[in-house]
Amino acid sequence: MIKVKFPSVFTQITKERKVEVENVGTVRELLDKLFEKYPQLKERLIKDGELTPFINIFVNGEDIRYLKGLDTELKDGDEVTFIPAISGG
């Protein structure tokens, strides 16, 4: 079971801050399952077939960009967190 935490900005789509997902082996597979359940989420996360730079995904506190990206492996008990990127100047 993978625990998923969404930022409050996504609760208008997901209606909840936390969900659990079973039977996924990578972040990519997790996203596919989430997109099945929440089709509007895909519009917010994917642009031109790639993950938008406006969201960061962490697995157990580690940014997937520094792991294997969308091919980062997941195991039972992992926690995946979506965090909006913060910009400013």
Side-chain angles (χ1 to χ4, degrees), residues 66-84:
Y66 304 111
L67 299 171
K68 294 182 182 176
L70 294 177
D71 295 320
T72 299
E73 296 166 1
L74 298 172
K75 62 186 180 315
D76 194 41
D78 281 349
E79 184 174 280
V80 176
T81 307
F82 292 83
I83 300 178

Side-chain angles (χ1 to χ4, degrees), residues 22-81:
E22 293 182 298
N23 302 319
V24 295
T26 65
V27 172
R28 187 181 310 278
E29 291 174 10
L30 173 69
L31 288 177
D32 288 343
K33 281 224 175 179
L34 291 173
F35 296 158
E36 286 175 20
K37 187 171 181 179
Y38 311 107
Q40 290 178 309
L41 196 58
K42 186 173 186 174
E43 298 169 16
R44 301 288 294 274
L45 294 176
I46 303 295
K47 297 286 185 222
D48 300 321
E50 297 292 325
L51 190 62
T52 176
F54 305 112
I55 191 76
N56 297 311
I57 301 176
F58 291 80
V59 174
N60 300 324
E62 291 190 59
D63 191 330
I64 66 167
R65 291 179 295 183
Y66 304 111
L67 299 171
K68 294 182 182 176
L70 294 177
D71 295 320
T72 299
E73 296 166 1
L74 298 172
K75 62 186 180 315
D76 194 41
D78 281 349
E79 184 174 280
V80 176
T81 307

